[in-house]
PDB file of all heavy atoms in Angstrom:
ATOM      1  N   GLY A 254     -24.495  85.774  48.232  1.00 92.00           N
ATOM      2  CA  GLY A 254     -23.544  84.909  47.533  1.00 92.00           C
ATOM      3  C   GLY A 254     -22.728  85.681  46.505  1.00 92.00           C
ATOM      4  O   GLY A 254     -21.519  85.459  46.370  1.00 92.00           O
ATOM      5  N   LEU A 255     -23.365  86.587  45.789  1.00 93.00           N
ATOM      6  CA  LEU A 255     -22.649  87.392  44.803  1.00 93.00           C
ATOM      7  C   LEU A 255     -21.652  88.340  45.472  1.00 93.00           C
ATOM      8  O   LEU A 255     -20.538  88.530  44.970  1.00 93.00           O
ATOM      9  CB  LEU A 255     -23.641  88.196  43.954  1.00 93.00           C
ATOM     10  CG  LEU A 255     -24.498  87.381  42.974  1.00 93.00           C
ATOM     11  CD1 LEU A 255     -25.523  88.271  42.298  1.00 93.00           C
ATOM     12  CD2 LEU A 255     -23.628  86.681  41.954  1.00 93.00           C
ATOM     13  N   ILE A 256     -22.037  88.911  46.597  1.00 93.00           N
ATOM     14  CA  ILE A 256     -21.116  89.799  47.318  1.00 93.00           C
ATOM     15  C   ILE A 256     -19.917  89.012  47.813  1.00 93.00           C
ATOM     16  O   ILE A 256     -18.769  89.465  47.700  1.00 93.00           O
ATOM     17  CB  ILE A 256     -21.842  90.514  48.475  1.00 93.00           C
ATOM     18  CG1 ILE A 256     -22.796  91.552  47.917  1.00 93.00           C
ATOM     19  CG2 ILE A 256     -20.848  91.165  49.431  1.00 93.00           C
ATOM     20  CD1 ILE A 256     -23.644  92.243  48.959  1.00 93.00           C
ATOM     21  N   GLU A 257     -20.159  87.827  48.363  1.00 93.00           N
ATOM     22  CA  GLU A 257     -19.052  86.996  48.848  1.00 93.00           C
ATOM     23  C   GLU A 257     -18.110  86.623  47.708  1.00 93.00           C
ATOM     24  O   GLU A 257     -16.884  86.694  47.841  1.00 93.00           O
ATOM     25  CB  GLU A 257     -19.600  85.735  49.501  1.00 93.00           C
ATOM     26  CG  GLU A 257     -18.526  84.817  50.023  1.00 93.00           C
ATOM     27  CD  GLU A 257     -19.086  83.546  50.607  1.00 93.00           C
ATOM     28  OE1 GLU A 257     -20.284  83.483  50.885  1.00 93.00           O
ATOM     29  OE2 GLU A 257     -18.299  82.595  50.761  1.00 93.00           O
ATOM     30  N   GLU A 258     -18.674  86.233  46.574  1.00 95.00           N
ATOM     31  CA  GLU A 258     -17.854  85.888  45.414  1.00 95.00           C
ATOM     32  C   GLU A 258     -17.053  87.097  44.938  1.00 95.00           C
ATOM     33  O   GLU A 258     -15.869  86.977  44.591  1.00 95.00           O
ATOM     34  CB  GLU A 258     -18.756  85.378  44.293  1.00 95.00           C
ATOM     35  CG  GLU A 258     -18.011  84.929  43.067  1.00 95.00           C
ATOM     36  CD  GLU A 258     -18.946  84.430  41.973  1.00 95.00           C
ATOM     37  OE1 GLU A 258     -20.133  84.198  42.237  1.00 95.00           O
ATOM     38  OE2 GLU A 258     -18.468  84.277  40.838  1.00 95.00           O
ATOM     39  N   ASN A 259     -17.680  88.276  44.961  1.00 94.00           N
ATOM     40  CA  ASN A 259     -16.996  89.495  44.560  1.00 94.00           C
ATOM     41  C   ASN A 259     -15.825  89.798  45.489  1.00 94.00           C
ATOM     42  O   ASN A 259     -14.741  90.169  45.040  1.00 94.00           O
ATOM     43  CB  ASN A 259     -17.979  90.660  44.553  1.00 94.00           C
ATOM     44  CG  ASN A 259     -17.379  91.928  43.982  1.00 94.00           C
ATOM     45  OD1 ASN A 259     -16.303  91.907  43.413  1.00 94.00           O
ATOM     46  ND2 ASN A 259     -18.082  93.026  44.150  1.00 94.00           N
ATOM     47  N   VAL A 260     -16.025  89.626  46.801  1.00 93.00           N
ATOM     48  CA  VAL A 260     -14.955  89.887  47.766  1.00 93.00           C
ATOM     49  C   VAL A 260     -13.805  88.908  47.559  1.00 93.00           C
ATOM     50  O   VAL A 260     -12.628  89.294  47.580  1.00 93.00           O
ATOM     51  CB  VAL A 260     -15.503  89.817  49.206  1.00 93.00           C
ATOM     52  CG1 VAL A 260     -14.384  89.769  50.225  1.00 93.00           C
ATOM     53  CG2 VAL A 260     -16.410  90.994  49.483  1.00 93.00           C
ATOM     54  N   LYS A 261     -14.126  87.627  47.338  1.00 94.00           N
ATOM     55  CA  LYS A 261     -13.089  86.628  47.090  1.00 94.00           C
ATOM     56  C   LYS A 261     -12.297  86.962  45.837  1.00 94.00           C
ATOM     57  O   LYS A 261     -11.061  86.894  45.823  1.00 94.00           O
ATOM     58  CB  LYS A 261     -13.702  85.230  46.945  1.00 94.00           C
ATOM     59  CG  LYS A 261     -14.128  84.590  48.232  1.00 94.00           C
ATOM     60  CD  LYS A 261     -14.690  83.209  47.967  1.00 94.00           C
ATOM     61  CE  LYS A 261     -15.205  82.560  49.215  1.00 94.00           C
ATOM     62  NZ  LYS A 261     -15.801  81.241  48.947  1.00 94.00           N
ATOM     63  N   GLN A 262     -12.995  87.318  44.777  1.00 95.00           N
ATOM     64  CA  GLN A 262     -12.319  87.624  43.527  1.00 95.00           C
ATOM     65  C   GLN A 262     -11.485  88.896  43.649  1.00 95.00           C
ATOM     66  O   GLN A 262     -10.385  88.975  43.094  1.00 95.00           O
ATOM     67  CB  GLN A 262     -13.331  87.750  42.389  1.00 95.00           C
ATOM     68  CG  GLN A 262     -13.931  86.415  41.986  1.00 95.00           C
ATOM     69  CD  GLN A 262     -14.991  86.547  40.907  1.00 95.00           C
ATOM     70  OE1 GLN A 262     -15.444  87.638  40.591  1.00 95.00           O
ATOM     71  NE2 GLN A 262     -15.394  85.414  40.357  1.00 95.00           N
ATOM     72  N   GLN A 263     -11.986  89.883  44.401  1.00 94.00           N
ATOM     73  CA  GLN A 263     -11.219  91.116  44.603  1.00 94.00           C
ATOM     74  C   GLN A 263      -9.958  90.822  45.397  1.00 94.00           C
ATOM     75  O   GLN A 263      -8.889  91.364  45.087  1.00 94.00           O
ATOM     76  CB  GLN A 263     -12.077  92.162  45.327  1.00 94.00           C
ATOM     77  CG  GLN A 263     -11.440  93.525  45.365  1.00 94.00           C
ATOM     78  CD  GLN A 263     -11.281  94.125  43.988  1.00 94.00           C
ATOM     79  OE1 GLN A 263     -12.108  93.950  43.113  1.00 94.00           O
ATOM     80  NE2 GLN A 263     -10.204  94.841  43.783  1.00 94.00           N
ATOM     81  N   ALA A 264     -10.053  89.949  46.399  1.00 93.00           N
ATOM     82  CA  ALA A 264      -8.871  89.571  47.183  1.00 93.00           C
ATOM     83  C   ALA A 264      -7.870  88.832  46.305  1.00 93.00           C
ATOM     84  O   ALA A 264      -6.653  89.073  46.388  1.00 93.00           O
ATOM     85  CB  ALA A 264      -9.276  88.697  48.361  1.00 93.00           C
ATOM     86  N   GLU A 265      -8.368  87.959  45.456  1.00 94.00           N
ATOM     87  CA  GLU A 265      -7.484  87.225  44.554  1.00 94.00           C
ATOM     88  C   GLU A 265      -6.815  88.171  43.554  1.00 94.00           C
ATOM     89  O   GLU A 265      -5.621  88.039  43.269  1.00 94.00           O
ATOM     90  CB  GLU A 265      -8.280  86.148  43.816  1.00 94.00           C
ATOM     91  CG  GLU A 265      -7.438  85.249  42.960  1.00 94.00           C
ATOM     92  CD  GLU A 265      -8.245  84.143  42.297  1.00 94.00           C
ATOM     93  OE1 GLU A 265      -9.394  83.902  42.690  1.00 94.00           O
ATOM     94  OE2 GLU A 265      -7.709  83.524  41.377  1.00 94.00           O
ATOM     95  N   ILE A 266      -7.566  89.138  43.059  1.00 95.00           N
ATOM     96  CA  ILE A 266      -7.004  90.120  42.131  1.00 95.00           C
ATOM     97  C   ILE A 266      -5.916  90.932  42.822  1.00 95.00           C
ATOM     98  O   ILE A 266      -4.840  91.162  42.253  1.00 95.00           O
ATOM     99  CB  ILE A 266      -8.107  91.044  41.567  1.00 95.00           C
ATOM    100  CG1 ILE A 266      -8.981  90.273  40.573  1.00 95.00           C
ATOM    101  CG2 ILE A 266      -7.523  92.284  40.913  1.00 95.00           C
ATOM    102  CD1 ILE A 266     -10.224  91.017  40.139  1.00 95.00           C
ATOM    103  N   ASN A 267      -6.175  91.360  44.070  1.00 93.00           N
ATOM    104  CA  ASN A 267      -5.172  92.127  44.811  1.00 93.00           C
ATOM    105  C   ASN A 267      -3.911  91.304  45.025  1.00 93.00           C
ATOM    106  O   ASN A 267      -2.796  91.807  44.868  1.00 93.00           O
ATOM    107  CB  ASN A 267      -5.728  92.588  46.154  1.00 93.00           C
ATOM    108  CG  ASN A 267      -6.775  93.668  45.994  1.00 93.00           C
ATOM    109  OD1 ASN A 267      -6.841  94.330  44.974  1.00 93.00           O
ATOM    110  ND2 ASN A 267      -7.612  93.825  47.004  1.00 93.00           N
ATOM    111  N   ASP A 268      -4.079  90.024  45.392  1.00 91.00           N
ATOM    112  CA  ASP A 268      -2.920  89.149  45.582  1.00 91.00           C
ATOM    113  C   ASP A 268      -2.128  89.004  44.288  1.00 91.00           C
ATOM    114  O   ASP A 268      -0.895  89.080  44.291  1.00 91.00           O
ATOM    115  CB  ASP A 268      -3.354  87.762  46.063  1.00 91.00           C
ATOM    116  CG  ASP A 268      -3.775  87.761  47.515  1.00 91.00           C
ATOM    117  OD1 ASP A 268      -3.423  88.714  48.235  1.00 91.00           O
ATOM    118  OD2 ASP A 268      -4.436  86.789  47.920  1.00 91.00           O
ATOM    119  N   LEU A 269      -2.837  88.776  43.192  1.00 93.00           N
ATOM    120  CA  LEU A 269      -2.158  88.592  41.916  1.00 93.00           C
ATOM    121  C   LEU A 269      -1.463  89.873  41.447  1.00 93.00           C
ATOM    122  O   LEU A 269      -0.374  89.811  40.871  1.00 93.00           O
ATOM    123  CB  LEU A 269      -3.147  88.095  40.862  1.00 93.00           C
ATOM    124  CG  LEU A 269      -3.671  86.672  41.073  1.00 93.00           C
ATOM    125  CD1 LEU A 269      -4.746  86.344  40.044  1.00 93.00           C
ATOM    126  CD2 LEU A 269      -2.544  85.664  41.018  1.00 93.00           C
ATOM    127  N   GLU A 270      -2.087  91.021  41.693  1.00 94.00           N
ATOM    128  CA  GLU A 270      -1.448  92.281  41.315  1.00 94.00           C
ATOM    129  C   GLU A 270      -0.178  92.511  42.129  1.00 94.00           C
ATOM    130  O   GLU A 270       0.855  92.905  41.584  1.00 94.00           O
ATOM    131  CB  GLU A 270      -2.417  93.448  41.515  1.00 94.00           C
ATOM    132  CG  GLU A 270      -3.484  93.529  40.447  1.00 94.00           C
ATOM    133  CD  GLU A 270      -4.472  94.649  40.700  1.00 94.00           C
ATOM    134  OE1 GLU A 270      -4.439  95.270  41.796  1.00 94.00           O
ATOM    135  OE2 GLU A 270      -5.289  94.904  39.805  1.00 94.00           O
ATOM    136  N   ARG A 271      -0.255  92.259  43.451  1.00 91.00           N
ATOM    137  CA  ARG A 271       0.941  92.413  44.291  1.00 91.00           C
ATOM    138  C   ARG A 271       2.029  91.436  43.860  1.00 91.00           C
ATOM    139  O   ARG A 271       3.205  91.791  43.772  1.00 91.00           O
ATOM    140  CB  ARG A 271       0.583  92.165  45.757  1.00 91.00           C
ATOM    141  CG  ARG A 271      -0.150  93.306  46.395  1.00 91.00           C
ATOM    142  CD  ARG A 271      -0.296  93.062  47.890  1.00 91.00           C
ATOM    143  NE  ARG A 271      -1.618  93.516  48.276  1.00 91.00           N
ATOM    144  CZ  ARG A 271      -2.532  92.800  48.879  1.00 91.00           C
ATOM    145  NH1 ARG A 271      -2.288  91.566  49.232  1.00 91.00           N
ATOM    146  NH2 ARG A 271      -3.696  93.310  49.166  1.00 91.00           N
ATOM    147  N   GLN A 272       1.613  90.206  43.595  1.00 91.00           N
ATOM    148  CA  GLN A 272       2.580  89.188  43.179  1.00 91.00           C
ATOM    149  C   GLN A 272       3.186  89.570  41.834  1.00 91.00           C
ATOM    150  O   GLN A 272       4.397  89.420  41.638  1.00 91.00           O
ATOM    151  CB  GLN A 272       1.883  87.828  43.093  1.00 91.00           C
ATOM    152  CG  GLN A 272       2.801  86.692  42.738  1.00 91.00           C
ATOM    153  CD  GLN A 272       2.050  85.368  42.700  1.00 91.00           C
ATOM    154  OE1 GLN A 272       0.857  85.305  42.921  1.00 91.00           O
ATOM    155  NE2 GLN A 272       2.770  84.318  42.392  1.00 91.00           N
ATOM    156  N   ASN A 273       2.376  90.064  40.929  1.00 92.00           N
ATOM    157  CA  ASN A 273       2.862  90.463  39.609  1.00 92.00           C
ATOM    158  C   ASN A 273       3.859  91.611  39.732  1.00 92.00           C
ATOM    159  O   ASN A 273       4.917  91.595  39.091  1.00 92.00           O
ATOM    160  CB  ASN A 273       1.692  90.854  38.720  1.00 92.00           C
ATOM    161  CG  ASN A 273       2.107  91.073  37.290  1.00 92.00           C
ATOM    162  OD1 ASN A 273       3.126  90.559  36.840  1.00 92.00           O
ATOM    163  ND2 ASN A 273       1.323  91.850  36.559  1.00 92.00           N
ATOM    164  N   GLU A 274       3.521  92.617  40.554  1.00 91.00           N
ATOM    165  CA  GLU A 274       4.436  93.741  40.730  1.00 91.00           C
ATOM    166  C   GLU A 274       5.756  93.283  41.344  1.00 91.00           C
ATOM    167  O   GLU A 274       6.835  93.697  40.910  1.00 91.00           O
ATOM    168  CB  GLU A 274       3.796  94.798  41.624  1.00 91.00           C
ATOM    169  CG  GLU A 274       2.664  95.553  40.961  1.00 91.00           C
ATOM    170  CD  GLU A 274       1.962  96.485  41.923  1.00 91.00           C
ATOM    171  OE1 GLU A 274       2.450  96.667  43.057  1.00 91.00           O
ATOM    172  OE2 GLU A 274       0.925  97.029  41.540  1.00 91.00           O
ATOM    173  N   ALA A 275       5.660  92.419  42.343  1.00 89.00           N
ATOM    174  CA  ALA A 275       6.879  91.934  42.997  1.00 89.00           C
ATOM    175  C   ALA A 275       7.719  91.099  42.045  1.00 89.00           C
ATOM    176  O   ALA A 275       8.953  91.212  42.021  1.00 89.00           O
ATOM    177  CB  ALA A 275       6.521  91.117  44.238  1.00 89.00           C
ATOM    178  N   LEU A 276       7.063  90.268  41.252  1.00 89.00           N
ATOM    179  CA  LEU A 276       7.803  89.424  40.321  1.00 89.00           C
ATOM    180  C   LEU A 276       8.420  90.242  39.184  1.00 89.00           C
ATOM    181  O   LEU A 276       9.523  89.935  38.728  1.00 89.00           O
ATOM    182  CB  LEU A 276       6.902  88.321  39.775  1.00 89.00           C
ATOM    183  CG  LEU A 276       6.476  87.263  40.798  1.00 89.00           C
ATOM    184  CD1 LEU A 276       5.501  86.283  40.171  1.00 89.00           C
ATOM    185  CD2 LEU A 276       7.676  86.540  41.359  1.00 89.00           C
ATOM    186  N   LEU A 277       7.714  91.271  38.717  1.00 89.00           N
ATOM    187  CA  LEU A 277       8.296  92.133  37.691  1.00 89.00           C
ATOM    188  C   LEU A 277       9.507  92.886  38.236  1.00 89.00           C
ATOM    189  O   LEU A 277      10.529  93.007  37.553  1.00 89.00           O
ATOM    190  CB  LEU A 277       7.255  93.129  37.173  1.00 89.00           C
ATOM    191  CG  LEU A 277       6.164  92.545  36.265  1.00 89.00           C
ATOM    192  CD1 LEU A 277       5.140  93.615  35.933  1.00 89.00           C
ATOM    193  CD2 LEU A 277       6.768  91.954  35.006  1.00 89.00           C
ATOM    194  N   LYS A 278       9.380  93.367  39.462  1.00 87.00           N
ATOM    195  CA  LYS A 278      10.518  94.035  40.081  1.00 87.00           C
ATOM    196  C   LYS A 278      11.665  93.053  40.279  1.00 87.00           C
ATOM    197  O   LYS A 278      12.826  93.382  40.031  1.00 87.00           O
ATOM    198  CB  LYS A 278      10.098  94.632  41.423  1.00 87.00           C
ATOM    199  CG  LYS A 278      11.197  95.381  42.112  1.00 87.00           C
ATOM    200  CD  LYS A 278      10.725  95.958  43.420  1.00 87.00           C
ATOM    201  CE  LYS A 278      11.886  96.638  44.116  1.00 87.00           C
ATOM    202  NZ  LYS A 278      11.519  97.094  45.455  1.00 87.00           N
ATOM    203  N   ASP A 279      11.342  91.840  40.691  1.00 83.00           N
ATOM    204  CA  ASP A 279      12.364  90.818  40.882  1.00 83.00           C
ATOM    205  C   ASP A 279      13.026  90.451  39.562  1.00 83.00           C
ATOM    206  O   ASP A 279      14.239  90.228  39.508  1.00 83.00           O
ATOM    207  CB  ASP A 279      11.743  89.577  41.522  1.00 83.00           C
ATOM    208  CG  ASP A 279      12.765  88.501  41.780  1.00 83.00           C
ATOM    209  OD1 ASP A 279      13.837  88.840  42.341  1.00 83.00           O
ATOM    210  OD2 ASP A 279      12.508  87.338  41.403  1.00 83.00           O
ATOM    211  N   LYS A 280      12.240  90.405  38.488  1.00 81.00           N
ATOM    212  CA  LYS A 280      12.815  90.078  37.180  1.00 81.00           C
ATOM    213  C   LYS A 280      13.797  91.154  36.736  1.00 81.00           C
ATOM    214  O   LYS A 280      14.858  90.851  36.190  1.00 81.00           O
ATOM    215  CB  LYS A 280      11.697  89.911  36.152  1.00 81.00           C
ATOM    216  CG  LYS A 280      12.183  89.482  34.794  1.00 81.00           C
ATOM    217  CD  LYS A 280      11.032  89.283  33.836  1.00 81.00           C
ATOM    218  CE  LYS A 280      11.545  88.882  32.476  1.00 81.00           C
ATOM    219  NZ  LYS A 280      10.464  88.746  31.502  1.00 81.00           N
ATOM    220  N   GLU A 281      13.452  92.412  36.991  1.00 81.00           N
ATOM    221  CA  GLU A 281      14.372  93.496  36.653  1.00 81.00           C
ATOM    222  C   GLU A 281      15.656  93.385  37.468  1.00 81.00           C
ATOM    223  O   GLU A 281      16.754  93.568  36.935  1.00 81.00           O
ATOM    224  CB  GLU A 281      13.702  94.844  36.905  1.00 81.00           C
ATOM    225  CG  GLU A 281      12.573  95.151  35.964  1.00 81.00           C
ATOM    226  CD  GLU A 281      11.816  96.406  36.360  1.00 81.00           C
ATOM    227  OE1 GLU A 281      12.242  97.097  37.321  1.00 81.00           O
ATOM    228  OE2 GLU A 281      10.802  96.701  35.717  1.00 81.00           O
ATOM    229  N   ASP A 282      15.508  93.088  38.742  1.00 77.00           N
ATOM    230  CA  ASP A 282      16.690  92.926  39.584  1.00 77.00           C
ATOM    231  C   ASP A 282      17.505  91.707  39.164  1.00 77.00           C
ATOM    232  O   ASP A 282      18.739  91.720  39.243  1.00 77.00           O
ATOM    233  CB  ASP A 282      16.291  92.795  41.053  1.00 77.00           C
ATOM    234  CG  ASP A 282      15.702  94.081  41.595  1.00 77.00           C
ATOM    235  OD1 ASP A 282      15.918  95.145  40.977  1.00 77.00           O
ATOM    236  OD2 ASP A 282      15.017  94.008  42.647  1.00 77.00           O
TER     237      ASP A 282
END
């Protein structure tokens, strides 16, 4: 259960980081 939760949270972190980078780049543009 802890491994599954860790994988979910890591996937969410990756999504948020990609989204954050894209949105920051979009804001600059």
Side-chain angles (χ1 to χ4, degrees):
L255 290 175
I256 289 175
E257 180 183 344
E258 183 180 347
N259 187 11
V260 167
K261 284 181 183 178
Q262 289 177 348
Q263 190 64 36
E265 186 177 346
I266 288 170
N267 289 340
D268 286 342
L269 291 174
E270 285 177 351
R271 284 188 219 124
Q272 183 179 1
N273 189 23
E274 289 174 8
L276 292 176
L277 287 175
K278 182 179 177 186
D279 182 48
K280 184 178 179 183
E281 292 172 5
D282 293 341

